[in-house]
Amino acid sequence: MYLCRTIAVALLIFFFLPAMGSGQEQKPVWELVVGAGLMDIPHYRGADQSRFYGLPYPYIVYRGDVISMEKQTIYGRIFKTDRVLLDVSYYGSLPVDSDDNDARAEMPDLDATLEVGPALNIMLAEDREEQWVLKLQLPVRPVFSTDFSSITYEGGLISPRLRFEKDDIIPGAGVAAGISAGPVFANAGYHDYYYTVKPAYATQTRPAYKAGSGYSGSEFTISLSKSFKRVKITAFARADVLNGAVFEDSPLVKTKTSIISGISVSWLFLKSARMVTTDILEEMGRHIETGI
C-alpha cells in the first residue's frame, strides 16, 4: 500500500503543478529536471478531510516537431492551426482508505484514478508583446480506477474552461501567472464511484443514495511561478465548488468547497546541446488541470 501511495502521489504532483514558459526563445530539445513537491489534497471533491503529501520527483521535457512532453502531458499534435490545437490531456487522483475518512467509514476504499483523453485548445485572444494568452480548453476524458493490480472503467467527464496565462506579470520580476475557471460535467458512472451509497453501506447517519449524471460543480485555479537560471518555484491553489452539483445531496458530500494547494521547487539537472525555437503563446495554455 505504501508503494502504491508513493506512485500515486508522484503522478498527482505531475498532474497538478504547472510548467510555464518565458517568451519566444531558444530552448533545449530535451531537459532532465528533478524537484520536490508539497501538496494538501482533500480525500475527494466534497470531502471535509484532507491529507498532506510531500515527495521528490523527476521529469523529462522533450520538444519535438510532432510529439512534445512536459511534466504531466504528452502533446501529440493530432490537429493544429494558428488558433486550434487538438492534443491529449491527463489527470488523476490519489487512493483513499475509507478507514481514514469519517464519511466513508466501513465503505469500500477509493482506488487511485487516471483520466486520459483528447483536449481541444482554441485561441481566443493573444498579445505577443505583452505575452499573454486567453484560451478555451475542452478536455474530454474517460476515467479509470486502479489498485495497481487491475484497472476498472469508472465513467467519463468533460470540463470546458477558460484559461488566461501571462508571462512576467510583475514587470521585471520574472513571475508568470495562470488563472482558469470552468464547469465539470460527468456521467452517472463517475459520480457513482465517489458519491453513491449502496443500501448495504447505509447507516442512520448515512442514508442510501444513488448519484446521477450531469453537472459536477465548477473548478477555479490560480498558479504562480518564478524561474531562475536552473531553478523554478511554482505554487498553485484550486477550489472545487459543488453548489448545484447533481450529487450535492449525497451524504458523502461534507463541504461544498474543496481546496487543493501545493508548491514545488524544480532544478534543471541536464539538458541537450541542441536547441529549438519555442513560442510562449503556443506553450502557454496547454496545461489543463488540472492539472494546470
Side-chain angles (χ1 to χ4, degrees):
M1 177 58 71
Y2 176 77
L3 177 59
C4 294
R5 286 185 177 273
T6 300
I7 294 171
V9 172
L11 289 173
L12 200 64
I13 287 174
F14 296 163
F15 296 147
F16 272 110
L17 297 177
M20 310 227 2
S22 56
Q24 188 171 13
E25 59 183 353
Q26 293 285 309
K27 290 187 177 181
V29 175
W30 60 263
E31 298 172 351
L32 176 60
V33 182
V34 294
L38 300 174
M39 300 181 68
D40 184 54
I41 308 171
H43 289 173
Y44 54 89
R45 299 170 69 235
D48 60 356
Q49 294 174 270
S50 63
R51 184 168 178 176
F52 186 79
Y53 295 89
L55 193 73
Y57 62 91
Y59 69 90
I60 297 173
V61 177
Y62 174 72
R63 302 179 178 95
D65 294 333
V66 178
I67 300 294
S68 298
M69 178 172 62
E70 188 162 358
K71 263 188 182 176
Q72 70 270 38
T73 305
I74 297 174
Y75 308 111
R77 295 185 182 180
I78 303 170
F79 175 79
K80 180 180 182 298
T81 70
D82 290 341
R83 292 282 172 178
V84 179
L85 171 66
L86 180 62
D87 60 16
V88 180
S89 71
Y90 296 78
Y91 193 68
S93 69
L94 295 170
V96 175
D97 188 335
S98 292
D99 291 339
D100 297 332
N101 184 274
D102 294 340
R104 296 188 58 87
E106 300 183 0
M107 290 185 65
D109 296 338
L110 294 174
D111 291 333
T113 64
L114 173 64
E115 306 170 14
V116 55
L120 185 65
N121 297 266
I122 303 172
M123 180 85 71
L124 299 179
E126 62 181 336
D127 189 320
R128 291 182 177 272
E129 290 187 4
E130 296 295 327
Q131 294 188 349
W132 61 261
V133 60
L134 176 65
K135 287 192 174 184
L136 173 63
Q137 300 177 319
L138 300 168
V140 179
R141 297 190 292 261
V143 182
F144 302 90
S145 65
T146 179
D147 59 2
F148 298 94
S149 63
S150 62
I151 298 177
T152 304
Y153 173 68
E154 301 294 354
L157 57 82
I158 178 172
S159 54
R161 67 202 58 203
L162 287 174
R163 179 158 183 84
F164 175 81
E165 293 195 17
K166 188 178 188 320
D167 209 34
D168 202 23
I169 193 168
I170 303 174
V175 176
I179 301 173
S180 68
V184 181
F185 302 92
N187 65 10
Y190 178 82
H191 290 158
D192 181 77
Y193 183 67
Y194 286 102
Y195 304 108
T196 285
V197 178
K198 295 181 179 179
Y201 301 108
T203 66
Q204 289 184 344
T205 58
R206 186 177 62 204
Y209 180 84
K210 177 64 176 177
S213 62
Y215 179 60
S216 189
S218 294
E219 297 176 347
F220 304 88
T221 305
I222 184 170
S223 65
L224 296 171
S225 68
K226 167 71 174 177
S227 295
F228 301 91
K229 186 175 181 180
R230 283 183 172 263
V231 175
K232 177 179 289 184
I233 301 174
T234 302
F236 85 96
R238 191 185 88 184
D240 285 298
V241 180
L242 304 184
N243 296 81
V246 294
F247 53 80
E248 68 173 332
D249 293 330
S250 169
L252 301 179
V253 174
K254 295 301 182 181
T255 179
K256 298 296 178 65
T257 303
S258 300
I259 304 295
I260 302 172
S261 59
I263 187 170
S264 73
V265 178
S266 57
W267 174 54
L268 176 57
F269 180 63
L270 287 174
K271 62 181 180 179
S272 67
R274 189 162 72 91
M275 310 290 282
V276 293
T277 300
T278 63
D279 188 336
I280 180 62
L281 293 182
E282 181 175 320
E283 291 194 349
M284 288 166 64
R286 282 173 167 177
H287 309 289
I288 303 172
E289 296 101 334
T290 215
I292 296 175

